[in-house]
Amino acid sequence: MVRKIEGATRVPVPGGKLIDEHVGRVNSGDEAISIAHMTAPPGWEEPPQTPSFTEYTVVLRGTVLVEHDGGTTRVEAGQSLVTSPGERVRYSTGPEGAEYVAVCLPAFSPESAGRD
């Protein structure tokens, strides 16, 4: 079955980051996958988390910094990153902020993010 999704739902979060969910629990009712467009301001950061999902991140503009047990990985425009379930990570942005797409399998939920 083909389903057209007319637009995204903006998910409110603190710190100035914008999350526009196109596919997922909030916008389309999908629990198997979430696809969201993110825009984060310069210097944005979030608390550490240990998610129970795989996250695929595609950076469109700027820089996303990901702290993990092995150090910090810098992901710039045109690059991608995959994080595994159970891995403790902390996302932030560089001085120019970032625009990116995040795909989570299964779909993101506040409970599955495992935030500290």
Side-chain angles (χ1 to χ4, degrees), residues 9-30:
T9 296
R10 175 132 318 148
V11 178
V13 294
K17 178 179 168 182
L18 302 176
I19 299 176
D20 293 323
E21 182 184 275
H22 288 267
V23 176
R25 297 174 195 272
V26 174
N27 195 52
S28 64
D30 289 274

Side-chain angles (χ1 to χ4, degrees), residues 5 34 49 56 67 75 105 113-114:
I5 299 169
S34 60
Q49 58 187 6
Y56 303 87
E67 296 173 34
V75 189
L105 293 171

Side-chain angles (χ1 to χ4, degrees), residues 23-81:
V23 176
R25 297 174 195 272
V26 174
N27 195 52
S28 64
D30 289 274
E31 295 185 7
I33 188 171
S34 60
I35 303 171
H37 177 240
M38 318 280 213
T39 306
W44 167 84
E45 56 186 40
E46 68 180 4
Q49 58 187 6
T50 307
S52 59
F53 49 78
T54 300
E55 184 165 350
Y56 303 87
T57 303
V58 179
V59 179
L60 305 173
R61 180 186 55 78
T63 304
V64 174
L65 304 168
V66 183
E67 296 173 34
H68 50 87
D69 289 340
T72 300
T73 300
R74 181 181 182 94
V75 189
E76 298 182 0
Q79 298 178 326
S80 303
L81 179 82

